[in-house]
């Protein structure tokens, strides 16, 4: 039996890249029954020394849900998807504006048969306006939303924070939250609705506190000069003797005092000068020189009980085997693949260990039958090129 707070919720996901699959993964992690639909010609590129199964095992974004292949360019295929949506609670698509409608699976075509359906849409620039048809990626949404200009060091170019902010935090996570909110509202109204999550909106939303801080003069538009953007020496990363790094977040006075004392700099750094930017260059040089005296792990052990907010900067490979994270259960093994565990955690409805990612089309027959498609219809659908 499926575990988690969303057990019993059925979701149809149209295969896409990045944020929409991340949203579907979250819903599946939380217990929803998610059916992933991919197009028949979308086959992964497999290196010569790997099998399709090996590659699928590490397609972590596709975990926890079966995969069927349906040709949406076929009228029969679109009809199958419409029929599946009629039996679902949630429908997710991440196409560019207008594509779902052209394929026959837009809200007007689908929601009319199921007025309880929550239709989740993931876009970059939104569904209308001058930017809606423009292509883009995470870095573009961050740039125009006023986010990217503030990430990076002083007198250096802005630094792209991977694709975490717009794609996953401001995109997939926001859409998942919106879908859950719509499901809660549906319990009262009995009706579904369209949830439109644009990554440019989500990126700007994540910056809400800093927009306020800038308006009051607390935050400067000048990159790398502020409290949390590497401007302050007590909120930054420092290289150690082994070439690896520690992260320092000693904002509060007590943490700053513990940091200064732990580095043996009590006679060199005046605690009263912590928030005086005029003294930051000198404090930074003192910290940088001190951290070069020991290795990353030596400093991590040294500060482990000092309450100075000093942590080792771990790579993904290191984080997956970190003893502290292992004890808490941040990472789990699924079919031999080490990966982040579902989150958050629930007291009454805990989530189950995720299932391995499915190969594209691996579950077509059994999954469609489980969703109510008659077994006798599968032969005809396959002959018509609607499924594969």
């Amino acid at each position: 039996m499926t575990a988690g707070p969303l057990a019993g919720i059925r979701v149809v996901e149209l295969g896409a890249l990045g944020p929409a699959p991340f949203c579907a993964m979250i819903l599946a992690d939380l217990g929803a029954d998610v059916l992933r639909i991919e197009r028949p010609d979308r086959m992964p590129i497999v290196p010569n020394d790997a099998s399709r199964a090996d590659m699928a095992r590490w397609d972590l974004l596709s975990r926890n849900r079966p995969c069927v292949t349906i040709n949406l360019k076929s009228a029969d295929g679109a009809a199958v998807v419409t029929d599946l949506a009629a039996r679902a609670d949630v429908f997710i698509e991440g196409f560019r504006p207008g594509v779902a409608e052209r394929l026959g699976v837009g809200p007007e075509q689908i929601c009319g048969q199921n007025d309880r359906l929550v239709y989740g849409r993931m876009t970059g620039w939104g569904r209308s306006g001058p930017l809606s048809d423009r292509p883009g990626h995470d870095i573009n949404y961050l740039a125009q939303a006023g986010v990217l200009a503030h990430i990076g060091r002083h007198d250096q170019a802005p630094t792209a924070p991977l694709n975490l902010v717009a794609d996953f935090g401001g995109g997939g996570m926001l859409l998942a939250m919106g879908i859950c909110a719509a499901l809660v509202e549906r319990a009262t109204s009995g009706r579904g609705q369209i949830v439109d999550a644009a990554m440019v909106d989500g990126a700007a939303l994540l910056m809400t506190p800093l927009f306020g801080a800038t308006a009051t003069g607390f935050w400067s538009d000048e990159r790398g000069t502020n409290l949390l953007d590497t401007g302050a020496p007590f909120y930054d990363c420092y290289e150690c003797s082994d070439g690896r790094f520690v992260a320092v977040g000693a904002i509060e006075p007590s943490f700053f005092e513990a940091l200064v004392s732990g580095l043996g700099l009590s006679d060199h750094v005046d605690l009263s000068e912590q928030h005086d930017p005029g003294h930051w260059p000198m404090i930074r040089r003192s910290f940088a020189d001190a951290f070069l005296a020991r290795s990353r792990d030596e400093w991590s052990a040294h500060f482990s009980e000092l309450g100075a907010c000093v942590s080792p900067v771990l790579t993904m490979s290191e984080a997956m085997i970190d003893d502290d994270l292992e004890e808490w259960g941040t990472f789990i093994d699924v079919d031999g693949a080490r990966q982040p565990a579902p989150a958050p955690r629930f007291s009454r409805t805990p989530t189950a260990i995720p299932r391995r990612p499915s190969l594209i089309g691996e579950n077509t027959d059994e999954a469609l039958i489980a969703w109510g498609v008659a077994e006798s219809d599968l032969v005809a659908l396959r002959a018509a090129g609607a499924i594969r």
Side-chain angles (χ1 to χ4, degrees):
M1 180 178 294
T2 302
L6 293 184
I9 296 296
R10 304 186 95 187
V11 180
V12 173
E13 168 204 359
L14 297 187
L17 297 176
F22 184 64
C23 169
M25 185 200 79
I26 292 172
L27 299 180
D29 282 354
L30 298 183
D33 177 8
V34 182
L35 180 65
R36 179 165 63 103
I37 297 174
E38 293 285 1
R39 64 180 190 267
D41 61 345
R42 183 177 177 265
M43 306 305 288
I45 298 174
V46 180
N48 293 332
D49 59 348
S51 67
R52 286 185 65 221
D54 287 337
M55 294 297 291
R57 185 162 59 102
W58 292 103
D59 181 20
L60 303 183
L61 207 58
S62 299
R63 74 185 185 189
N64 231 5
R65 50 209 197 270
C67 180
V68 304
T69 49
I70 298 178
N71 181 10
L72 283 172
K73 295 182 179 180
S74 156
D76 290 333
V80 172
V81 172
T82 301
D83 185 52
L84 294 171
R87 310 172 195 198
D89 299 285
V90 178
F91 189 88
I92 298 173
E93 63 95 351
F95 299 137
R96 290 175 67 177
V99 173
E101 285 80 359
R102 289 198 297 271
L103 292 172
V105 292
E108 292 185 0
Q109 294 129 315
I110 282 187
C111 296
Q113 300 189 45
N114 181 0
D115 63 2
R116 290 178 55 82
L117 185 69
V118 174
Y119 192 111
R121 317 197 80 168
M122 185 81 260
T123 62
W125 303 108
R127 306 209 67 79
S128 62
L131 298 175
S132 60
D133 289 329
R134 184 177 298 181
H137 285 292
D138 187 287
I139 194 170
N140 305 114
Y141 312 131
L142 298 188
Q144 195 134 358
V147 179
L148 188 60
H150 301 278
I151 301 175
R153 296 190 175 277
H154 183 55
D155 289 337
Q156 295 184 17
T159 300
L162 305 180
N163 65 327
L164 298 178
V165 179
D167 275 0
F168 299 120
M173 190 76 76
L174 186 68
L175 181 57
M177 185 276 293
I179 287 171
C180 288
L183 289 171
V184 171
E185 192 279 336
R186 190 186 69 173
T188 301
S189 69
R191 299 179 60 193
Q193 59 184 302
I194 300 170
V195 180
D196 192 347
M199 286 175 268
V200 69
D201 292 347
L205 184 65
L206 290 171
M207 286 283 282
T208 300
L210 295 183
F211 276 104
T214 300
T216 64
F218 175 78
W219 196 270
S220 167
D221 267 351
E222 190 175 359
R223 181 173 53 257
T225 64
N226 298 283
L227 182 68
L228 305 176
D229 63 359
T230 73
F234 48 85
Y235 198 90
D236 205 347
C237 296
Y238 289 93
E239 186 175 3
C240 303
S241 63
D242 56 356
R244 295 188 286 184
F245 291 82
V246 292
V248 174
I251 297 175
E252 290 79 4
S254 61
F255 300 153
F256 184 71
E257 182 177 5
L259 173 65
V260 170
S261 174
L263 289 172
L265 297 174
S266 297
D267 295 334
H268 298 84
V269 175
D270 188 338
L271 299 180
S272 67
E273 298 172 348
Q274 177 185 3
H275 290 285
D276 183 351
H279 289 90
W280 284 358
M282 180 275 294
I283 296 175
R284 183 181 300 280
R285 286 193 297 270
S286 298
F287 287 175
D289 291 342
F291 275 115
L292 285 172
R294 302 186 191 181
S295 71
R296 181 197 68 182
D297 292 345
E298 288 173 335
W299 281 121
S300 180
H302 174 72
F303 278 106
S304 62
E305 303 296 333
L306 296 184
C309 296
V310 176
S311 303
V313 176
L314 303 180
T315 64
M316 286 186 283
S317 298
E318 291 175 316
M320 288 192 295
I321 58 173
D322 179 72
D323 290 340
D324 296 327
L325 300 183
E326 171 69 24
E327 184 173 341
W328 171 236
T330 301
F331 295 94
I332 55 174
D333 287 294
V334 178
D335 195 29
R338 190 74 167 164
Q339 58 195 275
R345 307 179 189 204
F346 300 85
S347 62
R348 281 195 306 103
T349 56
T351 57
I353 294 177
R355 301 184 301 278
R356 68 163 180 83
S358 293
L359 292 165
I360 293 176
E362 177 181 352
N363 317 109
T364 297
D365 286 7
E366 60 265 37
L368 290 178
I369 290 171
W371 272 67
V373 177
E375 187 170 0
S376 59
D377 292 338
L378 295 180
V379 174
L381 288 170
R382 186 168 284 107
I387 67 172
R388 173 178 172 181

